[in-house]
Amino acid sequence: MPTQKRRAVVLLSGGLDSATVLAMAVHEGYEAHALSFRYGQRHTVELEAAARVAKALGATRHVVADIDLRVFGGSALTDDTLAVPHHASADDLGDEIPVTYVPARNTIFLSFALAWAETLDASDIFIGVSALDYSGYPDCRPEYVAAYETMANLATKAGVEGRQRLRIHTPLIQLTKAETIRRGLELGVDYAWTHSCYDPVDGRACGSCDSCLLRGRGFAELGLTDPALSATG
């Protein structure tokens, strides 16, 4: 009889990084359960991208959880009174944490993933954070992920009973955007499926927000054109 695959929860935004991580989890032989969020973000087109990615890459199941973070605001992604910053070049991005930071977002997302992992009898969660080509978000750092993993193993019935030893996989954490793209292409990811823009216009990538610029630079470093940007008008 074939060996049953290990189950994993994969956080899937619909963007470049999370699509790559889903491909990596599937390639490593996991039964991937993809988890996306409708959290009040202005760029809900990414959820359409997440559905495309989950289907194309063979996720066993794709769930979209609803959480309305607009009740707190504090981010240009969840508060329409705050403008998404735009720049001419990725070289113009500063070192400060930008207004697109959503307070405690990864902590919230990982908590949902932890809950689902327990019900699935899964001990693995994948998240596409990077400590290199990113916007300075504090919840993308290795020390944050390590601390969360320690906490998570104290937080569940399955963990206390010894049935679950949770591991949070961060396969992109030391990769540049270009290295991430190269790995995804090796695994058959078509980045035209994905959407990363913070401030899309009619569903199309703006090309000048932090996310678009970092993504575009990654493709350029490989001598390629970002399919999302080539689709802009």
Side-chain angles (χ1 to χ4, degrees):
M1 290 185 58
T3 304
Q4 184 175 4
K5 291 184 177 181
R6 292 181 64 183
R7 295 172 178 169
V9 176
V10 181
L11 291 172
L12 181 67
S13 69
L16 182 152
D17 294 330
S18 66
T20 306
V21 166
L22 176 58
M24 295 170 86
V26 171
H27 179 71
E28 290 175 22
Y30 285 92
E31 179 184 294
H33 296 254
L35 177 58
S36 304
F37 294 91
R38 185 180 293 104
Y39 62 91
Q41 68 271 47
R42 66 171 71 206
H43 50 301
T44 53
V45 65
E46 71 178 10
L47 292 175
E48 299 171 9
R52 287 194 299 269
V53 169
K55 181 177 180 180
L57 294 179
T60 300
R61 188 179 177 196
H62 179 219
V63 167
V64 179
D66 286 286
I67 328 166
D68 194 353
L69 297 183
R70 291 175 297 181
V71 298
F72 305 129
S75 168
L77 301 191
T78 57
D79 185 341
D80 290 338
T81 68
L82 299 175
V84 172
H86 292 269
H87 305 278
S89 164
D91 296 333
D92 296 335
L93 303 182
D95 295 328
E96 70 281 356
I97 298 172
V99 72
T100 51
Y101 162 71
V102 179
R105 180 173 60 179
N106 281 345
T107 301
I108 294 166
F109 289 179
L110 282 169
S111 295
F112 273 67
L114 174 61
W116 197 17
E118 185 171 18
T119 66
L120 289 170
D121 195 25
S123 293
D124 300 276
I125 293 172
F126 284 76
I127 183 171
V129 294
S130 170
L132 298 180
D133 279 356
Y134 75 124
S135 297
Y137 298 157
D139 51 4
C140 290
R141 296 171 299 156
E143 55 267 39
Y144 162 77
V145 175
Y148 191 96
E149 182 176 280
T150 298
M151 181 281 297
N153 280 297
L154 301 172
T156 64
K157 180 175 184 286
V160 169
E161 292 178 347
R163 293 185 289 106
Q164 179 190 58
R165 177 63 187 174
L166 190 84
R167 181 184 172 200
I168 299 176
H169 300 255
T170 56
L172 310 184
I173 203 156
Q174 296 298 335
L175 299 187
T176 65
K177 199 68 78 179
E179 290 169 336
T180 295
I181 294 165
R182 182 184 294 115
R183 182 61 180 139
L185 293 174
E186 290 171 352
L187 294 175
V189 177
D190 182 347
Y191 288 108
W193 301 330
T194 68
H195 182 95
S196 306
C197 181
Y198 290 154
D199 198 19
V201 179
D202 297 327
R204 297 176 301 170
C206 71
S208 56
C209 69
D210 291 16
S211 183
C212 282
L213 290 171
L214 290 170
R215 173 177 165 137
R217 183 172 67 184
F219 278 99
E221 288 174 358
L222 296 174
L224 302 171
T225 300
D226 182 352
L229 299 183
S230 63
T232 59

